């Protein structure tokens, strides 16, 4: 398990709890507030909001830590159903000030995003296995490719035997072995080169080995306009697992940047419509991003249990997200069907643009950091 991801999830939960309204248990409604000293006559101080009863038991300390990390109280069960089924109402009610019954947008966003990467740390980052279920035509084509790859491997090995000091020929042999092993696995036949040992410790035929061989052979070039950056990126690509790890770490550390990156696009859709502020658009964006992160989490986790969940998740991404966005736009801003529809189409385009800019920046930060 990725310890950094676990720590990130716990920290996010605690941050989310810290920005929430105090939720201490009500106790004695007599005496003075232990924080500001003013007389109190209810469950909370009317001046500073401090709970009347201040717990000092170890049991309550454990309860507060669990609440901070897991953050499951009564409000979560009112927030999540509305976020899934009626996001427009949830966003509108928060904007209009009816907030005590719901988890705050930022708290649930932080927790959902870091919970997503926390779950990914358990699942790992391995590439999906290639399916061996093929039609007769696909099997015949793959078999032909395998025959050609084996012939190319024999030629490469002969050339290397004649020039054993050639690094380029050695890289070519490893790359061709990887291709042969991949095709053999795809066909479900015994792997003839799978047991070959590589000096770098990578598994022959794996995607990691193919990437490394492509970089060493010069088939993947890096030109960022700076020699130092080029060297850093190529060094990361020589260890693909490390590169994926760095990108993943950068992604969840800077995921919050999606919020300020997205708000201007939403505001652009309502530039001539009065009555809405950047705060309102921010709440809309945060709840929308939360819904996306929860969908990603459920799709990946449940997809590992049964492939059908992965197919369902892909369907929801393709069709469910636009419908969810349409419902949230219509309910939040009180739009007509036509107004919500064209704004949904425009917002989907903006989402692709913002996501592309964000992912490119994250990949560059991960590979050059």
């Amino acid at each position: 398990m990725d310890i950094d991801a676990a720590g990130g999830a716990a920290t996010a939960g605690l941050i989310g709890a810290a920005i929430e309204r105090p939720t201490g248990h009500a106790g004695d409604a007599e005496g003075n507030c232990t924080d500001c000293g003013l007389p109190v006559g209810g469950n909370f101080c009317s001046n500073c909001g401090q709970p009347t009863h201040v717990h000092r038991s170890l049991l309550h300390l454990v309860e507060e830590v669990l609440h901070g990390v897991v953050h499951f109280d009564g409000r979560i069960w009112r927030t999540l159903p509305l976020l899934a089924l009626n996001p427009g109402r949830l966003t509108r009610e928060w904007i209009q000030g009816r907030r005590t019954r719901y988890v705050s947008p930022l708290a649930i966003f932080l927790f959902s995003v870091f919970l997503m990467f926390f779950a990914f740390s358990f699942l790992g980052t391995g590439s999906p296995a290639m399916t061996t279920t093929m039609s007769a035509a696909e099997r015949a084509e793959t078999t032909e490719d395998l025959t050609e790859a084996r012939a190319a491997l024999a030629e490469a090995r002969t050339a290397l035997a004649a020039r054993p000091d050639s690094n380029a020929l050695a890289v070519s042999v490893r790359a061709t072995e990887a291709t042969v092993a991949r095709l053999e696995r795809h066909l479900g036949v015994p792997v003839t080169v799978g047991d070959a040992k590589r000096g770098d410790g990578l598994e022959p035929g794996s995607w990691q080995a193919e990437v490394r061989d492509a970089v060493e052979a010069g088939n993947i070039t890096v030109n960022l306009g700076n020699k130092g950056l080029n060297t850093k990126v190529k060094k990361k690509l020589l260890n693909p697992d490390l590169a994926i790890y760095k990108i993943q770490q950068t992604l969840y550390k800077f995921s919050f940047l999606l919020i300020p990156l997205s708000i201007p696009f939403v505001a652009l859709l309502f530039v001539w419509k009065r009555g809405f502020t950047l705060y309102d658009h921010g709440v809309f964006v945060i709840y929308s991003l939360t819904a996306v992160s929860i969908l990603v989490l459920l799709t990946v986790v449940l997809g590992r249990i049964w492939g059908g969940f992965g197919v369902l998740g892909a369907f929801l991404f393709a069709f469910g997200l636009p419908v969810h966005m349409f419902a949230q736009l219509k309910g939040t801003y009180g739009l007509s069907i036509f107004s919500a529809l064209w704004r949904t189409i425009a917002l989907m385009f903006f989402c692709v643009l913002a996501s592309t800019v964000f992912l490119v920046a994250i990949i560059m930060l991960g590979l050059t950091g």
Side-chain angles (χ1 to χ4, degrees):
M1 190 191 77
D2 185 348
I3 300 300
D4 288 342
T11 302
L14 292 172
I15 292 173
I19 62 177
E20 285 284 270
R21 182 176 178 271
T23 56
H25 295 292
D28 300 329
E30 301 177 359
N32 297 330
C33 174
T34 56
D35 188 37
C36 66
L38 293 180
V40 294
N43 296 336
F44 296 89
C45 174
S46 60
N47 180 55
C48 67
Q50 170 81 12
T52 303
H53 184 74
V54 180
H55 294 272
R56 297 181 62 184
S57 66
L58 180 61
L59 181 61
H60 184 69
L61 178 62
V62 174
E63 178 187 351
E64 286 188 341
V65 171
L66 290 176
H67 171 75
V69 175
V70 182
H71 209 57
F72 279 170
D73 58 12
R75 289 171 295 171
I76 196 72
W77 305 118
R78 288 189 290 268
T79 304
L80 288 180
L82 279 182
L83 181 62
L85 303 176
N86 198 345
R89 176 188 167 188
L90 173 64
T91 309
R92 185 178 65 253
E93 291 204 346
W94 185 271
I95 290 173
Q96 292 176 348
R98 293 189 288 272
R99 302 175 180 179
T100 57
R101 69 189 73 178
Y102 305 119
V103 179
S104 72
L106 189 56
I108 194 172
F109 171 73
L110 286 172
F111 185 73
S112 64
V113 168
F114 284 92
L115 180 62
M116 178 175 62
F117 288 104
F118 178 61
F120 289 173
S121 70
F122 281 101
L123 299 176
T125 57
S127 60
M130 299 179 68
T131 177
T132 57
T133 303
M134 296 182 291
S135 65
E138 290 174 331
R139 178 169 289 276
E141 183 179 354
T142 305
T143 301
E144 183 179 350
D145 292 341
L146 177 59
T147 302
E148 294 177 357
R150 284 173 173 168
L153 177 59
E155 293 179 4
R157 285 174 171 171
T158 300
L160 180 61
R163 296 179 56 192
D165 59 336
S166 174
N167 183 62
L169 289 176
V171 170
S172 176
V173 168
R174 290 202 302 270
T176 311
E177 286 178 343
T179 301
V180 170
R182 175 174 55 81
L183 292 171
E184 288 173 339
R185 288 191 182 94
H186 193 26
L187 286 169
V189 299
V191 179
T192 58
V193 296
D195 295 330
K197 299 297 183 181
R198 292 174 57 102
D200 51 26
L202 296 176
E203 179 186 357
S206 65
W207 69 270
Q208 294 95 330
E210 291 183 356
V211 170
R212 183 184 180 95
D213 291 342
V215 173
E216 290 183 339
N219 297 329
I220 296 179
T221 58
V222 179
N223 185 10
L224 300 178
N226 182 284
K227 187 175 181 180
L229 291 179
N230 294 344
T231 302
K232 283 186 176 181
V233 173
K234 290 188 69 173
K235 185 176 179 181
K236 293 281 178 59
L237 291 177
L238 289 173
N239 188 346
D241 286 326
L242 177 61
I244 294 294
Y245 173 79
K246 289 292 186 181
I247 293 173
Q248 181 183 17
Q249 293 287 304
T250 306
L251 182 60
Y252 82 71
K253 287 178 181 177
F254 292 95
S255 58
F256 69 91
L257 291 179
L258 275 170
I259 299 173
L261 187 62
S262 302
I263 290 176
F265 292 113
V266 178
L268 186 62
L269 298 176
F270 297 92
V271 67
W272 60 88
K273 194 175 181 66
R274 296 184 178 181
F276 298 104
T277 67
L278 290 178
Y279 174 85
D280 303 337
H281 303 320
V283 173
F284 174 90
V285 166
I286 295 173
Y287 274 137
S288 183
L289 290 174
T290 300
V292 173
S293 63
I294 292 176
L295 179 58
V296 171
L297 172 65
L298 293 177
T299 300
V300 173
V301 173
L302 296 180
R304 292 297 183 96
I305 300 175
W306 178 54
F309 286 121
V311 175
L312 177 61
F315 176 82
L316 290 177
F317 269 106
F319 301 100
L321 282 183
V323 172
H324 187 275
M325 189 176 294
F326 171 84
Q328 190 178 6
L329 278 169
K330 188 175 185 301
T332 300
Y333 298 102
L335 304 174
S336 65
I337 293 179
F338 175 76
S339 296
L341 183 60
W342 76 260
R343 283 182 171 88
T344 299
I345 296 173
L347 195 55
M348 290 296 296
F349 171 77
F350 289 151
C351 285
V352 173
L353 180 61
S355 299
T356 301
V357 172
F358 175 75
L359 289 176
V360 169
I362 290 300
I363 292 173
M364 293 307 301
L365 285 172
L367 292 179
T368 59

